[in-house]
Amino acid sequence: GQMAVNMTAETTGPDVAFRLYVDGSIHQRTLLSEATAADTSSLIWDTETMSPGNYDLAVLGIGADGRGRWLPLDSFHVPIVQPLPAGSVRMASQTSWFRIEPWSDDTIRLNMLQASASLDASLFTAWNEKKADSSAGPQQPGALFFRPDLTKESNETYYVRIQADQADLTTSIRYTLVSAPKSAHLTGNPDAILAVIDQSGDIVTVRDANGKQSNIGTDEITLIDPESRLSRFQLNFADGEPTDMMPLFDRDTDLYALYVTPQTERLNYKATAMEGSAAQLEISLVQNQQQPQALDSSGDIQLQDAINILTLTVTGFDQTERTYTLQVLRPPDQNGFHQTLDQFPQNWRTPLFWLHIQHPNYQFEAQQTNIDWTDFIDAQDERDRSLIDAGSVPASWVEPGSPVYDGSSWKAADRRVIAYYANPQNFLDPVNIFQFEKLTFLENIHTHEGIEQILQGTFMEAGQSSLDYAAMILEAGQDADISPFFLASRIIQEMGRQAQSPLATGTLEGYEGVYNFYNIGSYPNPEVPNGAQINGARYALFGADPDQAEITEEEAAFLLPWTTPQRAITGGARWIARRYVAIGQDTLYGQKFDLIEEGGFFIHQYAQNIQMAWAEGRRTRNAWLELGLIDEAFVFRIPVFDNMPITPDQLP
């Protein structure tokens, strides 16, 4: 940039010349005429004309009589300055300077991504006047934005300095700069950084690191928009340990929750706006419905017995606002929700509290099983009790050496997979909680329209056949006092979305015209081709003892034989309701794992598919969402085991 060397001279002669020397060569000169009193002048060192390196500066003052004075100044370093055109993507390392080109609206727009260390970014004019600053770091993108006053700063040149934290200078520093308002990366490939040039509907114009420009659909990229967002929000206990705030901080997630014990008196927080000095950050705390307290961008929160609400509002560069909210429950709270949480293990309380503040009508019941966790997993890990479709999951999910127990690819699941899908703690979130929903019929909620939502894209979708499957399933749910949403999901799970099982269409060879939509009695028989389907067809004809070819009075109440879709759907619903829901296996999870002591634990498990409860719960939840009923007063019955791990197993 430009550096001014200002001089004040008091002379007795008529003229004084001043010369600026750079490494012994004249760079600029000026003349003061008739400076009979103190006068001021400036010499300008224009580093744009210099090569990078170290330079010694000096000033020589010469009077009209030829006498002069040599004034050494100091040594200065001219760094390497790299051009940063608008719309470009540049990978860089270590401390660097960039000459940044303004965006089309004359603003300065810079995104900082993929930093391997803590970085500070500063924006300067050519005259070394600092205009803006920001920061970035690992998992913490930043943005440096500035809007010039064009009446004063027209045609100004701007430079960006990127500096690494001193503690990180011993290692190689890497980061990516995007000179654009927004950036993006290819979905599934975070390393493929793109500059967003323009967007029209679902089509985005982007430019890659090689300067290649293309149009791409929004479904193919993940946008990184810094506008009105936090780049960092840390919440620690008083000893510096991080809290288990849920969810993990994400700049696009607005709502957070934390449960702490009554002994927790203080928390420490720190927040940073992604746009740095271009954004305004206002933080306030509300406790026990008192007036909000204004807080700094970092500091301590003194907790009260209440739900302590921390609100962080970011006003961005373009004056849009985004508010982040953290609710911290320190029991007891006025609404008494802590009493609900008291039923559950300590490390389950934060996710359940997070669910509660999103859906206040939800009700949670703890099912105290009195079953040891290891004993439970041992039982689920026996032979064919927990199966996985080996053809659609990673090989590590399958128990080594397992035979095919059902169909062409259903094998025993790896123990870690069993422990993951069996642990309720993994599913205490708004999407997965519905595997714990109680399955009774609700007349005002379970509608024909809702069932059709679940059946979309399946062989039972309206118009796919002459049968009104939604009506049949609704009638079956009313008849058996069981959720028809559950019945619809169960049929899809057992028959396949496109009726892959011939028991859905009555086309099993040798058993034509026989239906079994829920696979009741379809026990695996690996020694016989289609053994499970044959067993299911035999049950549909003759019940639990097909060799006797006699249907008992109880089985007749299940409408056996199932020789029409309606008889099979309604009769199977009665069978499930009586054999499972009525005896306490009244959730998807409970049907899969059988935690009822009567008759023996784990004996009466409806399905072998280890993912059954998870998959059907998600399908049911989507139906509630489509119907606009996701906030109804659902009751969730969640099992608690003895000696559960604090940190649950994860998928291999």
Side-chain angles (χ1 to χ4, degrees), residues 390-438:
S392 60
V393 298
S396 59
W397 288 25
V398 181
E399 184 177 291
S402 170
V404 174
Y405 285 104
D406 191 14
S408 61
S409 58
W410 286 90
K411 297 183 178 182
D414 181 84
R415 184 181 179 89
R416 292 166 295 176
V417 174
I418 296 170
Y420 175 82
Y421 282 105
N423 194 325
Q425 187 183 350
N426 286 321
F427 307 108
L428 303 179
D429 62 73
V431 174
N432 294 297
I433 191 68
F434 281 85
Q435 62 186 286
F436 308 112
E437 177 197 353
K438 284 192 172 181

Side-chain angles (χ1 to χ4, degrees), residues 481-549:
D481 191 24
I482 192 171
S483 165
F485 286 10
F486 153 69
L487 295 177
S489 297
R490 176 58 54 84
I491 293 172
I492 296 170
Q493 179 75 39
E494 298 294 343
M495 298 292 98
R497 298 189 67 83
Q498 302 305 325
Q500 287 89 334
S501 171
L503 294 178
T505 53
T507 57
L508 180 63
E509 185 178 356
Y511 295 89
E512 289 80 1
V514 178
Y515 302 84
N516 189 338
F517 285 88
Y518 308 102
N519 266 337
I520 295 169
S522 298
Y523 303 110
N525 185 355
E527 299 177 2
V528 177
N530 298 322
Q533 293 174 358
I534 290 173
N535 285 338
R538 282 161 56 83
Y539 187 96
L541 285 173
F542 303 114
D545 192 0
D547 291 335
Q548 296 297 319

Side-chain angles (χ1 to χ4, degrees), residues 11-67:
T11 67
T12 58
D15 298 308
V16 176
F18 287 98
R19 300 172 183 174
L20 176 65
Y21 285 79
V22 179
D23 276 359
S25 299
I26 295 177
H27 184 76
Q28 192 188 34
R29 66 186 74 194
T30 186
L31 179 67
L32 295 181
S33 298
E34 298 180 359
T36 57
D39 205 348
T40 301
S41 184
S42 294
L43 293 170
I44 306 301
W45 182 30
D46 183 2
T47 65
E48 288 285 357
T49 64
M50 314 299 296
S51 299
N54 294 319
Y55 295 90
D56 293 325
L57 269 65
V59 171
L60 176 64
I62 303 177
D65 58 0
R67 290 183 297 174

Side-chain angles (χ1 to χ4, degrees), residues 149-472:
D149 182 348
L150 296 180
T151 63
K152 300 178 181 179
E153 300 172 277
S154 179
N155 300 318
E156 181 67 86
T157 301
Y158 292 96
Y159 298 88
V160 173
R161 182 184 64 193
I162 305 292
Q163 287 185 305
D165 188 288
Q166 291 297 317
D168 295 323
L169 290 180
T170 57
T171 61
S172 177
I173 308 300
R174 300 178 307 279
Y175 53 93
T176 299
L177 300 180
V178 178
S179 180
K182 299 178 185 177
S183 56
H185 65 75
L186 294 176
T187 300
N189 184 7
D191 293 331
I193 297 297
L194 306 166
V196 176
I197 307 303
D198 194 15
Q199 182 173 356
S200 178
D202 294 334
I203 301 300
V204 182
T205 302
V206 297
R207 191 175 294 153
D208 64 19
N210 296 318
K212 181 181 178 182
Q213 187 164 307
S214 59
N215 295 324
I216 194 168
T218 54
D219 58 338
E220 300 177 69
I221 60 174
T222 299
L223 282 171
I224 306 171
D225 185 357
E227 176 68 13
S228 308
R229 284 168 170 82
L230 292 176
S231 62
R232 175 173 58 178
F233 178 40
Q234 295 177 331
L235 189 68
N236 297 329
F237 291 109
D239 61 2
E241 287 296 311
T243 67
D244 59 350
M245 177 182 75
M246 188 170 179
L248 294 175
F249 173 70
D250 178 87
R251 59 186 176 274
D252 293 321
T253 301
D254 299 337
L255 185 61
Y256 298 87
L258 175 67
Y259 171 93
V260 299
T261 64
Q263 291 74 38
T264 305
E265 298 180 351
R266 183 167 56 89
L267 296 173
N268 178 266
Y269 70 93
K270 186 172 185 179
T272 305
M274 192 169 172
E275 299 162 285
S277 60
Q280 293 180 332
L281 176 58
E282 297 179 348
I283 304 178
S284 64
L285 177 66
V286 175
Q287 298 171 307
N288 282 319
Q289 301 179 350
Q290 298 170 354
Q291 289 297 313
Q293 309 170 42
L295 302 178
D296 295 329
S297 60
S298 63
D300 288 343
I301 305 171
Q302 300 296 327
L303 297 175
Q304 295 184 9
D305 292 347
I307 296 178
N308 303 260
I309 303 175
L310 186 69
T311 301
L312 306 94
T313 300
V314 184
T315 303
F317 178 70
D318 290 330
Q319 299 305 302
T320 60
E321 287 189 359
R322 176 182 291 267
T323 297
Y324 298 82
T325 302
L326 165 71
Q327 296 193 29
V328 181
L329 192 160
R330 180 180 185 241
D333 66 285
Q334 291 180 344
N335 297 326
F337 186 70
H338 69 281
Q339 295 174 328
T340 295
L341 297 179
D342 287 345
Q343 305 174 73
F344 297 95
Q346 181 77 25
N347 53 328
W348 295 22
R349 297 178 187 180
T350 288
L352 286 172
F353 178 48
W354 184 53
L355 260 172
H356 169 71
I357 60 178
Q358 294 176 86
H359 304 283
N361 292 329
Y362 287 5
Q363 301 174 51
F364 305 103
E365 297 178 357
Q367 179 187 1
Q368 302 294 343
T369 65
N370 299 316
I371 300 171
D372 183 81
W373 173 253
T374 301
D375 292 343
F376 172 56
I377 299 302
D378 286 344
Q380 299 305 318
D381 196 22
E382 290 180 3
R383 200 171 172 270
D384 61 348
R385 184 167 279 163
S386 299
L387 303 184
I388 196 82
D389 185 358
S392 60
V393 298
S396 59
W397 288 25
V398 181
E399 184 177 291
S402 170
V404 174
Y405 285 104
D406 191 14
S408 61
S409 58
W410 286 90
K411 297 183 178 182
D414 181 84
R415 184 181 179 89
R416 292 166 295 176
V417 174
I418 296 170
Y420 175 82
Y421 282 105
N423 194 325
Q425 187 183 350
N426 286 321
F427 307 108
L428 303 179
D429 62 73
V431 174
N432 294 297
I433 191 68
F434 281 85
Q435 62 186 286
F436 308 112
E437 177 197 353
K438 284 192 172 181
L439 299 176
T440 51
F441 180 79
L442 302 172
E443 184 173 357
N444 294 329
I445 293 177
H446 292 129
T447 63
H448 186 278
E449 178 189 6
I451 300 169
E452 285 188 326
Q453 291 281 356
I454 296 177
L455 300 183
Q456 284 185 3
T458 74
F459 71 98
M460 297 177 286
E461 183 177 5
Q464 294 297 310
S465 76
S466 60
L467 298 175
D468 187 345
Y469 281 102
M472 287 192 286

